[in-house]
Amino acid sequence: MSLAIPLSDKVTGRHRDRTAVVYLRQSTPQQVGRHPESTRLQYGLVDRALQLGWARERIMVIDEDLGRSGGSADRPGFQRLVAEVSLDGLAWCSASRCPGWPAPAVTGTSCSKSAPWREP
């Protein structure tokens, strides 16, 4: 029996007042072309944010990095994500991989170190 609190029980109105971001990336145009299921699943994280109670207008999709290598931070989508985190306006961020942040976020990993449910 797991004692973990489901994420849906941790999300409050305070979180939903902030922006949820779905950041998508696949490393090469070939991956995007050969693995459409991955792209579909990443876009599907918008539905997860909706299930957790975010209004559609509070969900930002950043997908400019589809087909761009993660070997450098010089990617427009990643720069946009970093700017949003820096502004401290994020409550939830999901991504296939957020370098330097917690593991993949099919369930809603926070990319913002100041997100309310990560406060001590």
Side-chain angles (χ1 to χ4, degrees), residues 16 18-24 42-43 45-47 49-50 54-64 76-85 87 89-95:
R16 292 181 197 102
R18 299 171 88 184
T19 303
V21 174
V22 177
Y23 172 74
L24 290 78
Q42 290 181 62
Y43 277 114
L45 292 170
V46 169
D47 292 332
L50 291 168
W54 266 271
R56 189 165 297 277
E57 61 271 7
R58 301 294 304 158
I59 301 170
M60 176 188 301
V61 175
I62 300 176
D63 59 2
E64 298 94 66
F78 182 73
Q79 293 300 318
R80 190 168 149 212
L81 175 63
V82 169
E84 291 295 328
V85 170
L87 292 172
L90 300 184
W92 186 76
C93 175
S94 60

Side-chain angles (χ1 to χ4, degrees), residues 5 17 40 51 57 82 102 113:
I5 299 171
D17 289 340
R40 187 188 67 73
Q51 290 169 359
E57 61 271 7
V82 169
K113 290 183 172 44

